[in-house]
Amino acid sequence: MTETTESPLSDAGGNQEPWLLEVRDLVKNFGGLRAVDHCSFRVERGTITGLIGPNGAGKTTVFNLITGFIPPDSGRILLAGEDIGHLRPDQIFARGLCRTFQIPREHGSMSVLENLLLVPPEQSGERWWNALIRGAQVQAEETRNLEKAREVLEYLQLTHVSNEYAGNLSGGQKKLLELGRMLMADPQIILLDEPAAGVNRTLLRTISDNIQYLARERGITFLLIEHDMNMVMNLCNPVIVMSEGRKLAEGEPDIVRNDKNVLEAYLGGQYAAAEG
Ligand SMILES: Nc1ncnc2c1ncn2[C@@H]1O[C@H](COP(=O)(O)OP(=O)(O)OP(=O)(O)O)[C@@H](O)[C@H]1O
Ligand SMILES: [Mg+2]
């Protein structure tokens, strides 16, 4: 008898590769500017992989390409072996790939709880005929979603603001809310764009702890863009470095941090100024 497990980590396609996400030879031009320049890298299942690099290196653009917000000019994007390069953002989201934005995008005039309840993609209550024909089932699903939302809020220590307008949250709380919206979707992989930006030390530790816990206990894979080197060094392994649209280096955080090419990429402007 064959065993059929329904874990989000089990791979329906029979893909046994350790790589959950792979970008191959990705290129993106904006007019005359090449933002992503034949960039290739892979993200192993269960890792918290860091994506760092100087301002304008192309990191956010890579996220926009992976999540289907903008189309690549060429190259491939594979999720669990499946080519997702031609899919819409909602189709990619439905496959368990979620992202947060460099600037949080909460629905400011809705409550924190309502923001979470918006998320589940398969909510059958949105289809009015379902509501008519299968009222009880829809109601059960809504109850489940509500329970899940309450759990997520408790886990992120946001219960005390659950009825607050999301627009009134602090910058750091908005980051937590974004993470909460990801959790509502039962993701395989979460892409985080600068989770530490504008967040105080205490909250930063909460966010880091959450990420570590979710990777360890729930097997969620993370790819995370960050300029806060403390966070990257404590949390991420491996670390991928981008510069001028390409992958410049990759490896354990300590090795990458001391790599001559990486130091030059970060300090390049200063070297040039000192020499000039
Ligand atoms: N929609 C766009 N139209 C035109 N140019 C863009 C667009 N998006 C990004 N760029 C340009 O592409 C380059 C890469 O930008 P990107 O936002 O990916 O960098 P980044 O590595 O995320 O930088 P930062 O660390 O400052 O967030 C930059 O030169 C940027 O100005
Ligand atoms: Mg960016």
Side-chain angles (χ1 to χ4, degrees), residues 48 155-157 172-173 175-176 179 192 195-214 216 224 226 228 230-232 234-235:
I48 304 171
Y155 172 64
L156 295 174
Q157 298 175 19
Q173 287 172 324
K175 298 255 173 189
L176 286 176
L179 189 56
L192 299 169
V199 168
N200 72 42
R201 286 280 132 201
T202 316
L203 197 55
L204 189 55
R205 213 166 305 124
T206 311
I207 292 176
S208 290
D209 289 349
N210 280 326
I211 293 170
Q212 250 161 354
Y213 172 87
L214 293 166
R216 198 177 54 232
L224 116 92
E226 192 43 73
D228 182 315
N230 274 332
M231 187 183 199
V232 172
N234 290 329
L235 203 57

Side-chain angles (χ1 to χ4, degrees), residues 111-142:
S111 78
V112 168
L113 182 63
E114 285 165 342
N115 265 266
L116 292 186
L117 293 174
L118 275 183
V119 174
E122 308 287 12
Q123 215 171 39
S124 46
E126 278 174 20
R127 295 172 183 259
W128 60 270
W129 63 87
N130 269 331
L132 285 178
I133 298 165
R134 295 186 297 166
Q137 189 186 326
V138 170
Q139 209 169 22
E141 190 175 304
E142 280 174 6

Side-chain angles (χ1 to χ4, degrees), residues 30 33 35 53-62 102 194 227:
F30 293 114
L33 176 93
N55 294 117
K59 305 178 297 295
T60 297
T61 305
V62 165
Q102 196 161 347
E194 300 196 25
H227 285 294

Side-chain angles (χ1 to χ4, degrees), residues 17-268:
E17 298 280 342
W19 317 113
L20 181 56
L21 177 68
E22 179 173 359
V23 303
R24 281 191 203 157
D25 222 17
L26 219 47
V27 174
K28 182 67 191 180
N29 297 298
F30 293 114
L33 176 93
R34 178 156 290 187
V36 178
D37 187 9
H38 297 280
C39 184
S40 300
F41 62 79
R42 302 196 277 203
V43 179
E44 194 175 335
R45 284 172 204 278
T47 60
I48 304 171
T49 298
L51 182 60
I52 66 169
N55 294 117
K59 305 178 297 295
T60 297
T61 305
V62 165
F63 270 23
N64 287 336
L65 293 168
I66 292 172
T67 50
F69 280 79
I70 55 173
D73 292 337
S74 61
R76 297 182 73 198
I77 304 160
L78 303 163
L79 179 66
E82 181 194 7
D83 197 327
I84 57 164
H86 57 286
L87 298 180
R88 295 189 311 263
D90 60 304
Q91 294 171 317
I92 295 169
F93 183 85
R95 281 163 175 72
L97 190 151
C98 304
R99 65 139 356 146
T100 63
F101 291 89
Q102 196 161 347
I103 298 160
R105 291 187 173 185
E106 74 289 341
H107 298 273
S109 58
M110 294 174 82
S111 78
V112 168
L113 182 63
E114 285 165 342
N115 265 266
L116 292 186
L117 293 174
L118 275 183
V119 174
E122 308 287 12
Q123 215 171 39
S124 46
E126 278 174 20
R127 295 172 183 259
W128 60 270
W129 63 87
N130 269 331
L132 285 178
I133 298 165
R134 295 186 297 166
Q137 189 186 326
V138 170
Q139 209 169 22
E141 190 175 304
E142 280 174 6
T143 309
R144 267 201 307 281
N145 287 339
L146 191 60
E147 275 171 17
K148 191 167 170 189
R150 293 223 164 98
E151 269 172 37
V152 167
L153 287 175
E154 200 176 310
Y155 172 64
L156 295 174
Q157 298 175 19
L158 289 175
T159 304
H160 62 292
V161 290
S162 53
N163 295 319
E164 188 63 64
Y165 285 124
N168 291 345
L169 296 182
S170 72
Q173 287 172 324
K174 285 178 183 173
K175 298 255 173 189
L176 286 176
L177 177 58
E178 279 227 328
L179 189 56
R181 288 169 60 189
M182 303 298 99
L183 295 179
M184 290 299 291
D186 281 328
Q188 297 196 70
I189 177 165
I190 299 181
L191 275 49
L192 299 169
D193 198 346
E194 300 196 25
V199 168
N200 72 42
R201 286 280 132 201
T202 316
L203 197 55
L204 189 55
R205 213 166 305 124
T206 311
I207 292 176
S208 290
D209 289 349
N210 280 326
I211 293 170
Q212 250 161 354
Y213 172 87
L214 293 166
R216 198 177 54 232
E217 303 297 325
R218 297 245 202 123
I220 298 175
T221 305
F222 285 88
L223 176 62
L224 116 92
I225 296 175
E226 192 43 73
H227 285 294
D228 182 315
M229 281 307 129
N230 274 332
M231 187 183 199
V232 172
M233 295 298 144
N234 290 329
L235 203 57
C236 301
N237 193 7
V239 174
I240 296 166
V241 188
M242 275 188 78
S243 173
E244 297 178 352
R246 292 168 174 266
K247 184 176 85 176
L248 178 70
E250 179 176 6
E252 289 184 18
D254 271 342
I255 293 169
V256 162
R257 179 163 53 175
N258 296 312
D259 184 290
K260 184 170 160 288
N261 291 330
V262 173
L263 291 171
E264 257 177 36
Y266 271 97
L267 303 171

